[in-house]
Structure formats: C-alpha cells, structure tokens
Amino acid sequence: MSSAISSLKMMYNMERLATALYKAQTRAFHEKEMLNRLTAAAANEQQHVDNLNSRIKDLGGSSSRVGFLFQTAGAIFGFLVTFAGKVFVLRTDIWIEKRAIRDYGSYMQNVQFDEDTVGLLQRIVADEERHVATWQDSIARIKSSTDKS
Ligand SMILES: [Fe+2]
Ligand SMILES: [Fe+2]
C-alpha cells in the first residue's frame, strides 16, 4: 500500500472521529444557534469522510477497516466532555481542530500526493480553519451572554 493511501486512511479515520464527536456534543447545548453550528460542523466533517473515502478508492485503495473504532472513540469522548461544560467542550474542539490542521500540514509536507489529492486536502484544511473560528466566536458569545445575566 502506498504511503499516500495509508495517510489518507488515517485522515479518514480522524474525520470519522470528528463527525461522531460533534454529533455527541449536541447534547450539551440547547440554544438553537449552537445546535445549528454543531450540526453544520458534523455534516461538514461527514463530507470530509466521504471525500477522503472516494479519493482512497480513486487511487485504488480499499476503505479503512478500523473507521468504526474511531467513530466510537469520538462518540464516547464527545459524550464525556459535555459533562465539563460548554466552554470546555468548545476549547477541546479548538484544540482538536488545530491539531488536525497541523497533521494535515505535515502529511502534505512529508507525503507525495497527486495534485487532485492536494487540492482536496487544502479544501479540508480551509474548513477546519473555519471550524476553529466558529468555536472561538461561540466561546465569545457564551461568555458575553453569561456576563449579561
Ligand atoms: Fe474535518
Ligand atoms: Fe473540523
């Protein structure tokens, strides 16, 4: 298996974790805007899962066989972290997104990908950067609403 395909499988697994994480975190929030943001992020992570999976297939690879393990880990972690409060949840999300951006960057530096794959990875990184900005904005919203009350 080429290292491009095995790297894409690892990214695919992490994206499955992220999808399950955001789905599980919706239980921590009741405000409509926050639920919308989490639902949109989960759908966006699912697109990353699907796009990486089809890229793996296009390159002649097979689907990762351990994706469900990462999905389960994301669901459990996403559920547990909600007990620590909203701001903590969002800070964790920012940490995970930044970590993902860093990982994508180092894969792109160290692995020889074809042009189409690089384009896909760059679009994914742009989405992850948007997620960081969304959670930073969400923390600011939560803090300003608790200051007022
Ligand atoms: Fe993602
Ligand atoms: Fe993300």
Side-chain angles (χ1 to χ4, degrees), residues 15 18-19 22 41-42 44-45 48 93 96-98 100-101 104 124-125 127-132 135:
E15 294 292 348
T19 308
Y22 289 141
N44 195 204
E45 304 298 4
H48 297 166
D93 294 346
I96 290 170
E97 294 285 355
K98 284 187 172 168
I101 292 165
Y104 275 111
I124 292 177
V125 168
D127 286 341
E128 313 304 14
E129 279 166 353
R130 204 163 37 77
H131 296 159
V132 170
W135 306 142

Side-chain angles (χ1 to χ4, degrees), residues 13 16-17 20 64-76:
N13 288 330
R16 282 195 62 174
L17 188 148
S64 166
R65 270 176 289 171
V66 291
F68 72 98
L69 292 175
F70 284 81
Q71 183 181 331
T72 307
I76 293 170

Side-chain angles (χ1 to χ4, degrees), residues 34 37 86-88 90-92 94 134-144:
M34 273 313 302
R37 288 180 181 197
K86 294 175 190 175
V87 171
F88 184 84
L90 294 167
R91 284 205 182 117
T92 309
I94 290 170
T134 304
W135 306 142
Q136 282 167 341
D137 176 74
S138 304
I139 290 175
R141 278 169 57 102
I142 290 169
K143 285 194 168 164
S144 77

Side-chain angles (χ1 to χ4, degrees), residues 1 7 13 15 21 29-30 36 40 44 49 52 54 57 59 63 69 81 91 93-94 98 116 126 132 135-136 143:
M1 185 167 38
S7 309
N13 288 330
E15 294 292 348
L21 179 83
F29 297 89
H30 303 287
N36 289 343
N44 195 204
V49 169
L52 287 167
S54 53
K57 295 221 169 108
L59 295 173
S63 290
L69 292 175
V81 84
R91 284 205 182 117
D93 294 346
I94 290 170
K98 284 187 172 168
D116 286 354
V132 170
W135 306 142
Q136 282 167 341
K143 285 194 168 164

